[in-house]
Amino acid sequence: MKAGNMKKQDVKRKIIFSDFFRNNGILMGSVLIGLVGFWLIFLIILPQLSMLDYSFRFNLPPSEQGGPKDVYTLNNYRHLLYGSDTSGETYNTVDLMVFGRTILAAMMVTIFNIILCYPLAYLLGQSKGSGLIRLLVVLLIIPYWINEILRAFALRIIFGDSGLLNEVLMFLHLTDGPIDFIRQNVALYAGLGYAYILLMLFPMYNVIESLDRNQIEAARDMGASWLHIHRRIVIPHAKPGIASGATMVFMLTAGALAAPQVLGGPSSLWFTQLVYQWFNNSLNWQQGAAYAIVLLFATIVIVLTVMRIFKVNMGDIGK
């Protein structure tokens, strides 16, 4: 059975490649494959392998690098677990709590974006391209012409003690004084959700747009409620788009740096900020590489686990 399946997969790959070259031509097809290969190898794989190698090295001065002391070690990973305690009896609770809080916050931002974007994506996908919907799409895109750091500072002004949001709440007598949205991390989570909202919206929209409206009409004629229509028809069809958007939002949120630096409160240290401190403040690239590798592998494992739970594979996302 396995040999037969492998043969079928080989035949399928050959058909895909032949169709690709037939549609794009030998020259253009080769150029496209070469560019993608260059991007994958030189901009992703090799830098990550270099980072992985760094993470197993001692932080040595340049004169000792390549010498007898320059050997592989697990000390950089042990530091994340135990900190400066070489005995391994006391855990590095500070860094571990920052790591756990970062992963949990990235999950919450991703779930928030799914809940927020799904109704909007359904509206856009089933609107038959009206002028109002086109205007709405343009209004969603225009704010992203502004640099991410400037948007973060704008949000900090909005959520500040004397910002627009507090002024409106006090004007409406909904609060007696300004609310510290920065210290309570409301500004941070709102900023992260806003920063990557289009990466959740458009994958959903592209998939829902391809849904045959006749299926919805037929289900409605048979007496199905809106809840059943979305649970049985729309959401299963939109699952690849939801998975694609959730993957990008979760990975980018967990690896965000600008928004936590600008919008984060005193107690909202992000794990990427620890990585930044090891690289730039402590000049310990080996330790920073170990922290970065841990974050990378943790997010990949979480994404693959969630995809397996919801029965989504990479082929579905690539459609």
Side-chain angles (χ1 to χ4, degrees):
M1 288 293 291
K2 290 184 178 180
N5 291 333
M6 290 181 64
K7 289 182 179 179
K8 290 180 180 179
Q9 292 177 358
D10 291 338
V11 171
K12 189 175 182 180
R13 290 193 190 99
K14 291 179 180 178
I15 293 174
I16 292 173
F17 271 100
S18 62
D19 290 341
F20 175 79
F21 282 109
R22 184 168 58 251
N23 294 332
N24 298 280
I26 299 297
L27 179 60
M28 184 57 66
S30 301
V31 170
L32 290 174
I33 292 178
L35 291 175
V36 172
F38 175 84
W39 178 69
L40 286 174
I41 295 172
F42 290 98
L43 300 182
I44 296 179
I45 296 176
L46 290 182
Q48 296 301 328
L49 290 177
S50 178
M51 187 86 70
L52 183 64
D53 181 72
Y54 262 99
S55 70
F56 289 105
R57 299 284 186 174
F58 285 104
N59 183 27
L60 300 174
S63 60
E64 297 183 5
Q65 292 179 6
K69 294 183 180 180
D70 192 4
V71 295
Y72 288 105
T73 178
L74 293 174
N75 284 351
N76 297 319
Y77 292 94
R78 285 178 56 84
H79 188 279
L80 175 60
L81 293 175
Y82 304 109
S84 301
D85 184 9
T86 56
S87 64
E89 296 178 357
T90 305
Y91 285 102
N92 185 6
T93 55
V94 175
D95 290 359
L96 290 174
M97 287 181 64
V98 171
F99 176 75
R101 185 169 63 244
T102 300
I103 295 297
L104 181 61
M107 291 180 178
M108 298 306 296
V109 169
T110 304
I111 294 172
F112 170 76
N113 274 16
I114 291 174
I115 296 172
L116 182 64
C117 291
Y118 176 77
L120 187 56
Y122 179 79
L123 176 64
L124 293 174
Q126 297 293 305
S127 62
K128 300 180 181 180
S130 66
L132 179 61
I133 297 301
R134 293 195 191 99
L135 177 62
L136 179 60
V137 172
V138 172
L139 292 177
L140 287 171
I141 294 175
I142 284 177
Y144 288 84
W145 293 358
I146 303 172
N147 183 273
E148 180 183 358
I149 296 178
L150 295 179
R151 294 201 310 268
F153 276 109
L155 287 173
R156 187 175 181 89
I157 294 174
I158 292 173
F159 284 99
D161 291 343
S162 59
L164 177 63
L165 184 56
N166 269 313
E167 292 291 339
V168 171
L169 292 176
M170 288 188 290
F171 176 78
L172 297 175
H173 301 288
L174 297 177
T175 178
D176 296 331
I179 301 174
D180 196 347
F181 292 110
I182 303 297
R183 187 175 293 273
Q184 295 178 10
N185 293 330
V186 175
L188 174 58
Y189 297 150
L192 288 170
Y194 170 69
Y196 307 117
I197 191 170
L198 292 187
L199 296 178
M200 180 70 75
L201 176 63
F202 285 116
M204 285 190 192
Y205 162 70
N206 289 332
V207 177
I208 293 177
E209 188 183 30
S210 64
L211 176 63
D212 187 358
R213 296 182 181 88
N214 293 327
Q215 297 183 41
I216 298 176
E217 294 297 332
R220 192 185 303 172
D221 293 340
M222 295 177 66
S225 64
W226 275 112
L227 179 62
H228 281 81
I229 290 174
H230 283 275
R231 186 166 62 90
R232 297 291 183 87
I233 299 176
V234 182
I235 293 179
H237 183 82
K239 192 187 294 185
I242 296 173
S244 177
T247 299
M248 289 188 289
V249 171
F250 174 73
M251 299 289 281
L252 290 173
T253 302
L257 180 61
Q261 295 249 98
V262 176
L263 297 172
S267 60
S268 61
L269 188 63
W270 215 251
F271 195 73
T272 48
Q273 291 175 283
L274 296 180
V275 177
Y276 178 85
Q277 290 171 7
W278 282 116
F279 271 97
N280 292 275
N281 298 341
S282 302
L283 297 179
N284 190 339
W285 287 31
Q286 291 76 11
Q287 189 66 67
Y291 275 44
I293 291 295
V294 168
L295 180 62
L296 173 65
F297 275 92
T299 52
I300 290 175
V301 168
I302 291 172
V303 167
L304 293 178
T305 302
V306 173
M307 288 175 59
R308 186 176 182 85
I309 292 174
F310 289 97
K311 298 179 180 179
V312 178
N313 56 51
M314 296 300 296
D316 294 331
I317 294 178
K319 290 180 180 178

